Amino acid sequence: MKKFQPQPGFVVQAYRFALDPNAAEEQALRSHCGASRAAYNWAVSWVRASWAQRAAEATYGIGEAELTPWRPWSLPALRKAFNEAKRTDPRFAGWWGENSKEAYSTGLANAAAAFDNYAKSKNGKRKGKRVGAPRRKSKRKARLACRFTTGAIRVEPDGRHVTLPRLGTIRVHERADDLRERIAAGTARILSATVRHERGRWFVSFQTEVKRDLVRVARPDAAVGIDLGVKHLAVMADSAGEIRYEPNPKHLDGSLKLLRLHSRRVSRRQGPDRRTGHKPSKRWEKADRERNKVHHRVANQRADALHKLTTKIRDEYGTVVVEDLNVAGMLKNRRLARQVADAGFGEIRRQLTYKGRRNATHTILANRWYPSSKTCSNCGAVKAKLPLHVRVFDCDACPLVMDRDENAAHNLAALAAASTAGTGVAGDLDAAKASKPRGADRKTRTTRPGRTAGTGRAGGATLPHQRREEARDRTQAEALTLW
């Protein structure tokens, strides 16, 4: 599929609505998602069959030129092969015509993308963890999803129904008047639609091209440093010196008692057993649905709270500084994993990033090795160790005593000032590197800006606190990364 390029002044935005299908419509939705999974499994088996055949022929000493040719995995090649096989393959005979062609195209497109990711990862051209070869999707575990790119895709004039290819008109749980009015005014158009079953409900997501005007934030010249944590979800210090504490709602902790109750009910009933093929009882399925409702409610509460927090921050400040936290590593700590997962650190950073692009504001990412908690926000001295249970920062070089999260937020806010001031401390990094072949980011100075030199030492030697200041400036320059 070709990647869509929005027109000038337009952005690609998704509108998501919950569906209220009846029994027949839900059966059709499941059939389309099952067809997508079947096409994906067929493509994976078709491509990997040539791999197994070549490996078997190589064991008999057959030369490279005489081996079975590699089967291509590009989307056009998969579509051509699938169209030839669907009429004769017994896995599709008799029922493939019941679903839209878009359902099979979804599975084939996902298979092509999976093989591309595997090839790029194997050749070292893909970032992140190593990606293995695509495998078949299990009917029991596969996520139900299907994408439509052509055909009748629209929001009905009443705003309470949507129309999808072959599925017909389905009622939506909430009114879709916002999208309908934008389409009628000519400021939006639908590119594709994706139906998905998650959290016990069916959803439809419309990918649209929407005209969006830039909204000026309340304080475009202000910067804020955000220190994320478990005790307080976010401690924010802005460039004016104001401190704000955002409490951690801890949605999961508030529902743990109810979750334990439902989990005990589930464990006392006859559940599925993969070893013996035993199917779950009706009472087990009912108890499992009740337990999942609690999980879904917690997830919805968390998503709502994070969106409100990040929107409020992005509507006020022109520059936001956040840390590049190693969330995956933090989740390995068995004492903090549940609290870290419930806080959603990675989701906060993701939302701050894309909402900043939407408002044309700046997002600064501090290196994960930048010692924001160990550095004194007053004199710049860096502590050698600061255990997590020590919640108060007590500087050894100056009389500063402050909450450690508040101190870290001040240091993050200082990164934003250093990046824009152009004083040579942490600003104008590109110009400094271009003019110095060895990559030095600043000249060594013996005093802090605004102070007079009076060391009283031969050769202009620097005092210990001045060396600490220079070390802090170099650390800030290395920690600064602009998005």
Side-chain angles (χ1 to χ4, degrees):
M1 264 176 220
K2 289 168 93 179
K3 187 175 181 181
F4 176 76
Q5 297 294 336
Q7 299 178 7
F10 285 74
V11 297
V12 177
Q13 179 177 329
Y15 285 83
R16 190 181 187 211
F17 305 99
L19 297 175
D20 286 335
N22 56 33
E25 292 168 348
E26 183 172 1
Q27 180 62 30
L29 287 169
R30 291 185 178 274
S31 177
H32 276 71
C33 296
S36 174
R37 180 186 57 84
Y40 177 90
N41 290 341
W42 176 89
V44 170
S45 300
W46 185 73
V47 173
R48 298 194 65 167
S50 64
W51 298 4
Q53 181 66 23
R54 289 175 63 91
E57 292 173 354
T59 60
Y60 290 99
I62 299 178
E64 178 69 25
E66 300 177 357
L67 293 178
T68 299
W70 298 99
R71 285 178 175 174
W73 60 65
S74 65
L75 181 57
L78 292 178
R79 279 178 175 169
K80 182 178 180 181
F82 178 78
N83 289 333
E84 295 175 355
K86 65 183 180 182
R87 302 178 186 276
T88 58
D89 195 315
R91 292 172 291 183
F92 299 97
W95 65 271
W96 66 269
E98 299 175 2
N99 303 297
S100 170
K101 65 181 179 63
E102 293 293 319
Y104 306 102
S105 180
T106 300
L108 299 179
N110 292 341
F115 279 109
D116 285 339
N117 291 335
Y118 167 65
K120 292 178 181 178
S121 179
K122 190 174 183 180
N123 296 332
K125 298 180 180 179
R126 188 178 188 273
K127 296 181 180 180
K129 295 179 62 176
R130 187 74 175 267
V131 177
R135 296 179 295 180
R136 293 171 57 88
K137 291 183 180 180
S138 168
K139 181 179 181 180
R140 184 175 62 91
K141 293 183 179 180
R143 178 178 295 177
L144 300 177
C146 179
R147 185 166 184 249
F148 301 92
T149 57
T150 60
I153 305 174
R154 64 176 179 270
V155 178
E156 295 299 329
D158 61 357
R160 296 305 303 265
H161 296 81
V162 296
T163 299
L164 300 173
R166 292 297 296 270
L167 295 173
T169 302
I170 305 176
R171 183 179 176 85
V172 294
H173 186 72
E174 297 176 337
R175 299 189 66 89
D177 290 333
D178 186 19
L179 178 58
R180 178 183 59 82
E181 291 173 359
R182 283 179 173 268
I183 295 175
T187 58
R189 69 185 183 96
I190 297 176
L191 305 177
S192 65
T194 302
V195 292
R196 184 186 302 272
H197 185 269
E198 59 183 20
R199 301 182 183 178
R201 303 201 62 166
W202 285 96
F203 294 89
V204 59
S205 178
F206 293 102
Q207 185 186 31
T208 61
E209 183 190 18
V210 180
K211 185 177 182 181
R212 178 179 290 276
D213 298 327
L214 293 178
V215 179
R216 184 175 177 85
V217 298
R219 301 167 62 187
D221 298 330
V224 62
I226 303 176
D227 181 75
L228 302 177
V230 173
K231 182 179 180 181
H232 297 94
L233 181 59
V235 179
M236 298 180 288
D238 60 20
S239 54
E242 299 178 2
I243 289 292
R244 186 185 305 172
Y245 286 82
E246 288 292 337
N248 189 354
K250 297 183 180 180
H251 300 291
L252 181 60
D253 289 352
S255 302
L256 280 179
K257 184 176 180 180
L258 187 60
L259 280 173
R260 293 190 185 101
L261 172 64
H262 286 290
S263 296
R264 283 196 299 268
R265 287 182 180 176
V266 172
S267 65
R268 291 168 180 166
R269 299 178 181 181
Q270 294 293 330
D273 192 340
R274 295 184 62 189
R275 296 172 298 177
T276 61
H278 185 271
K279 293 184 179 181
S281 66
K282 296 296 183 181
R283 297 178 74 245
W284 183 93
E285 292 179 344
K286 180 180 179 181
D288 186 57
R289 285 195 300 268
E290 294 297 326
R291 181 181 59 177
N292 289 339
K293 284 182 180 179
V294 181
H295 281 294
H296 299 158
R297 181 171 180 269
V298 171
N300 291 332
Q301 287 177 334
R302 183 185 303 115
D304 179 67
L306 295 185
H307 272 292
K308 288 179 179 177
L309 172 62
T310 54
T311 300
K312 181 174 64 174
I313 294 173
R314 274 307 182 185
D315 289 345
E316 182 175 358
Y317 299 102
T319 303
V320 174
V321 186
V322 292
E323 291 180 295
D324 181 20
L325 297 176
N326 183 16
V327 180
M330 298 168 69
L331 292 176
K332 295 181 181 179
N333 185 341
R334 64 184 181 88
R335 299 180 183 273
L336 294 175
R338 188 176 68 195
Q339 287 79 5
V340 171
D342 188 28
F345 293 157
E347 181 66 11
I348 293 176
R349 171 182 154 183
R350 186 188 73 86
Q351 292 184 14
L352 287 174
T353 303
Y354 84 79
K355 291 180 182 179
R357 296 198 202 102
R358 179 185 298 173
N359 294 340
T361 54
H362 301 287
T363 303
I364 299 178
L365 179 65
N367 192 293
R368 65 179 53 175
W369 304 114
Y370 174 61
S372 59
S373 298
K374 299 179 181 179
T375 305
C376 177
S377 59
N378 183 37
C379 67
V382 180
K383 282 182 174 290
K385 292 183 179 179
L386 186 64
L388 190 60
H389 68 273
V390 179
R391 304 309 305 169
V392 177
F393 180 87
D394 188 358
C395 184
D396 300 329
C398 73
L400 177 69
V401 179
M402 184 183 293
D403 179 81
R404 64 175 292 160
D405 296 335
E406 182 178 341
N407 177 69
H410 279 296
N411 287 326
L412 293 175
L415 282 182
S419 66
T420 58
T423 59
V425 178
D428 300 334
L429 295 182
D430 296 334
K433 290 181 180 180
S435 61
K436 300 176 182 179
R438 292 191 301 171
D441 59 338
R442 64 180 296 274
K443 292 182 179 180
T444 303
R445 61 172 178 244
T446 58
T447 59
R448 294 177 62 185
R451 294 192 178 184
T452 58
T455 62
R457 299 189 181 188
T462 57
L463 292 175
H465 76 275
Q466 295 169 346
R467 291 196 294 270
R468 286 196 300 268
E469 286 295 327
E470 296 168 2
R472 183 191 66 170
D473 294 341
R474 288 194 295 271
T475 304
Q476 287 184 346
E478 294 171 358
L480 193 64
T481 303
L482 288 175
W483 284 10

